Amino acid sequence: MDAGQRETPYLDALSAYAARRPARLHVPGHKGGQGADAGLLEAIGAQALSFDIPALTYGIDVGVEPTPFEQSQRLAAQAWGAKRAWFLINGASQGNLAAGLALAHRGREVVVQRNAHSSTIDALVLSGLRPTFAAPEVDAELGIAHCLTPGTLDAALAATPRAVGAWIVSPTYFGAVADIRSLAEVAHARGVALIADEAWGAHMAFHEDLPEHALAAGADLVISSTHKIVGSLTQSAMLHFGHRAGELIDEETVDRAVTLTESTSPNALLCASLDAARRQAAVHGRELLTHTMGVLADTRAQIRAIEGLDVLDERMTGRPGVFAYDPLRLAVDVRGVAASGYELARLLREIGDINLELYGQNVLVAVFGMGERGLEEAQRLVDALRVAVAQVGLTLEGSSESFAAAPPWGELAMTPREAYLGRQEVVPAAEAVGRIAAESLATYPPGIPNVLPGERLTAETLEYVQSTLEQGGSVRGASDRLLRTVRVVVEAAAELDEDAESGSFG
Ligand SMILES: Cc1ncc(COP(=O)(O)O)c(C=O)c1O
């Protein structure tokens, strides 16, 4: 590790600014806390408010170069092995938006993993890119989606010869990690950049026992949600540009896209937290992760010992779409107990004030951070699970519940952008068959979008979504969560002509 990694130039410059009690003739109007509401001051403290300064403050992000802000971003790039890193103040979501805009400078088509995060779909809306969707591997037993295989990516790229990028997700919410090395080879062999949404894997660069992280494995642009597991403040994240990415994606275009997708008033506390989280990960990450992985291994063993429960772990490796497993997620398979994941999550809240990251019909997911030490919460979870399982009992039919495969996606009749900006109307679900969706519908389980904006709705898909709802599942993205109605695009040629004349977007 480079000695520079022990430094936090941005955090230090901010502390020095606050400590010297400058005349703050700039925003924000609370003036370092003096003008703040007393309740806020008490809640978050004078120190935090004194650090809340605007962009373009001399000696912090403007002035003698490299400024502390530039130095901190360089240290971050070095820590993750990138050519360049950008601090993002609008989460990994911003990273996806920026990636889409940067790709759109190179062409109009892209291959996208079908179960991408909603911010990737928003990126398609913003950029106007036309996606070819590539299906992740679906685990019919658990009812969850894993990663994209290199074969699937290759076929999607072959079907999209004008694609300018391949956009994948790894790790998943459940800890499945893709074979990024092979995916990068496939993308590069077809002359396109590999964009990896590694929102859930920022920690993987800091321990040799963890799966190889996306940059190291050859991805070109990596979206990293630093706040998730590495533990910077919520909403802070990073975008990493690989050393060889310049051959396939333009660095300055990415820079411009990052600026376009963020406020002109980036929050200094968020940036400082990225600087500090990078130092902690680079200097202490290995030791912290060793400890956390040890405690989690023990916790998994305790959960497996509870009759009716199982855990997802490295035994998943080798299943289709699971090249490796990230142990920082604790996913509990609840098919053996007589309650769904939804019911168990509610019970855990009531029994032990246990608040989970995610739950579905068959699985509960608890997330652990890189810097947790005692991991008391892990024991609280185990204890509460014991009580909950004793309350609900075991399932009679055994743990073999699976779910019906979703019907094929409808034809992509227009780009997500055209559907989003086009004239729209809300129609009863029964009348929506054959219409173009203006919104996403993603049933949970397994959480893969059944419909995306721009796709034609089919009777099979609408029936599938309805039956998932009837069985206690949910649908995300729909304006009507009960799917009595659907928002669709108005396609009538007459209306479109009228719009063109009046310039209306509907
Ligand atoms: C795969 C993936 N990408 C991107 C994001 C967006 O991250 P953020 O909340 O930091 O904007 C998430 C959030 O959960 C995610 O799961």
Side-chain angles (χ1 to χ4, degrees), residues 90-94 96 117 119 169 173 197 199-200 225 227-228 237:
N90 193 21
S93 300
Q94 185 191 349
N96 275 323
H117 186 253
S119 57
V169 184
Y173 262 110
D197 181 346
W200 282 101
S225 201
H227 68 91
K228 287 195 192 321

Side-chain angles (χ1 to χ4, degrees), residues 424-495:
Q424 303 172 1
E425 64 178 339
V426 174
V427 297
E431 292 167 25
V433 175
R435 302 289 303 267
I436 301 173
E439 59 189 2
S440 312
L441 305 178
T443 48
Y444 204 97
I448 301 175
N450 305 88
V451 177
L452 287 173
E455 287 179 347
R456 236 174 245 291
L457 289 153
T458 64
E460 294 80 1
T461 296
L462 287 165
E463 276 161 26
Y464 180 84
V465 176
Q466 289 287 10
S467 81
T468 306
L469 288 175
E470 280 156 23
Q471 287 164 35
S474 58
V475 58
R476 295 184 184 174
S479 49
D480 176 356
R481 296 267 166 144
L482 298 175
L483 206 73
R484 288 162 306 204
T485 60
V486 189
R487 182 171 278 274
V488 296
V489 174
V490 174
E491 290 172 78
E495 298 240 28

Side-chain angles (χ1 to χ4, degrees), residues 283-367:
V283 178
H284 301 295
R286 194 178 175 283
E287 157 209 344
L288 292 169
L289 285 163
T290 301
H291 177 74
T292 306
M293 286 192 285
V295 178
L296 282 178
D298 176 56
T299 308
R300 281 195 180 88
Q302 288 195 59
I303 293 176
R304 286 189 77 190
I306 302 174
E307 196 185 353
L309 296 183
D310 200 354
V311 293
L312 273 60
D313 56 19
E314 56 287 340
R315 288 171 296 156
M316 241 168 57
T317 303
R319 289 194 191 190
V322 189
F323 182 70
Y325 183 73
D326 170 20
L328 269 273
R329 233 82 85 257
L330 205 170
V332 184
D333 175 354
V334 303
R335 286 171 299 153
V337 297
S340 69
Y342 303 103
E343 290 162 282
L344 278 178
R346 181 181 52 76
L347 273 179
L348 291 176
R349 265 197 313 275
E350 287 169 9
I351 294 166
D353 199 4
I354 311 271
N355 299 281
L356 297 168
E357 176 66 26
L358 184 79
Y359 41 88
Q361 181 72 18
N362 299 336
V363 189
L364 305 173
V365 182
V367 166

Side-chain angles (χ1 to χ4, degrees), residues 4-14 59-61 66-80 82-88 237-240 268 270-279 282:
Q5 291 295 334
R6 297 188 184 281
E7 311 295 328
T8 46
Y10 184 85
L11 177 65
D12 295 352
L14 205 54
I60 296 183
D61 60 344
T67 62
F69 183 68
E70 286 165 340
Q71 290 173 40
S72 294
Q73 291 198 141
R74 282 183 198 172
L75 284 169
Q78 190 189 56
W80 270 272
K83 175 168 185 276
R84 182 165 176 185
W86 288 267
F87 284 2
L88 306 176
M238 292 189 201
L239 183 61
H240 297 294
L270 296 184
C271 296
S273 80
L274 284 169
D275 196 23
R278 182 270 313 151
R279 171 173 62 188

